[in-house]
Amino acid sequence: MKWIKAMALSAVVTLFAAMLLLSAAGFVICRSGALPRSSLSLITTLIACAAVFLGGLLPGLSLREKGLFLGLGAGALFLVCAGLVTVLVFQAEPDPASAGKAAAVLLSGAIGGILGANRKRKVKF
């Protein structure tokens, strides 16, 4: 039961972090005027990595165990949702660059989960 709550927390945190970061980036991009189209893919990948990092960090902090699996689960959940949106909504096939982006997202989730699970507790005297 605790794993289900941890993965639900991970999904909610990842969703809200991604929405917040994407809306902030959209605001900055609109205010800046012109942005090269090639850098848009890099910006969205970095935002996805940051959202999945937070999605792995917070459940790792709450459970304090198996942070690697929590982080990889957060990254896998994000990738499945993004892949479904790509295929079903945009009717596009994943390109070869998607493998690198997927690896970056999974790695950032794993790092977030590991850091969350291994964080030292403060000792109060």
Side-chain angles (χ1 to χ4, degrees):
M1 185 60 140
K2 65 181 179 178
W3 289 99
I4 294 172
K5 287 194 323 189
M7 286 311 295
L9 175 66
S10 173
V12 169
V13 167
T14 304
L15 173 75
F16 284 118
M19 285 186 350
L20 181 70
L21 291 171
L22 281 172
S23 62
F27 179 76
V28 169
I29 289 169
C30 286
R31 286 298 208 187
S32 68
L35 181 74
R37 191 173 175 98
S38 62
S39 64
L40 205 55
S41 177
L42 177 67
I43 291 171
T44 55
T45 302
L46 290 175
I47 289 172
C49 288
V52 171
F53 177 82
L54 291 174
L57 181 73
L58 293 179
L61 285 172
S62 67
L63 278 184
R64 298 268 186 210
E65 62 183 26
K66 296 190 171 81
L68 177 67
F69 296 125
L70 287 172
L72 287 175
L77 183 64
F78 184 85
L79 288 175
V80 165
C81 292
L84 286 175
V85 167
T86 300
V87 171
L88 296 177
V89 175
F90 297 116
Q91 298 170 347
E93 295 179 10
D95 55 349
S98 299
K101 294 175 187 179
V105 167
L106 288 174
L107 183 65
S108 65
I111 291 171
I114 290 170
L115 290 177
N118 293 329
R119 185 170 176 204
K120 303 282 186 198
R121 294 183 190 246
K122 291 185 178 183
V123 178
K124 296 181 181 180
F125 290 102

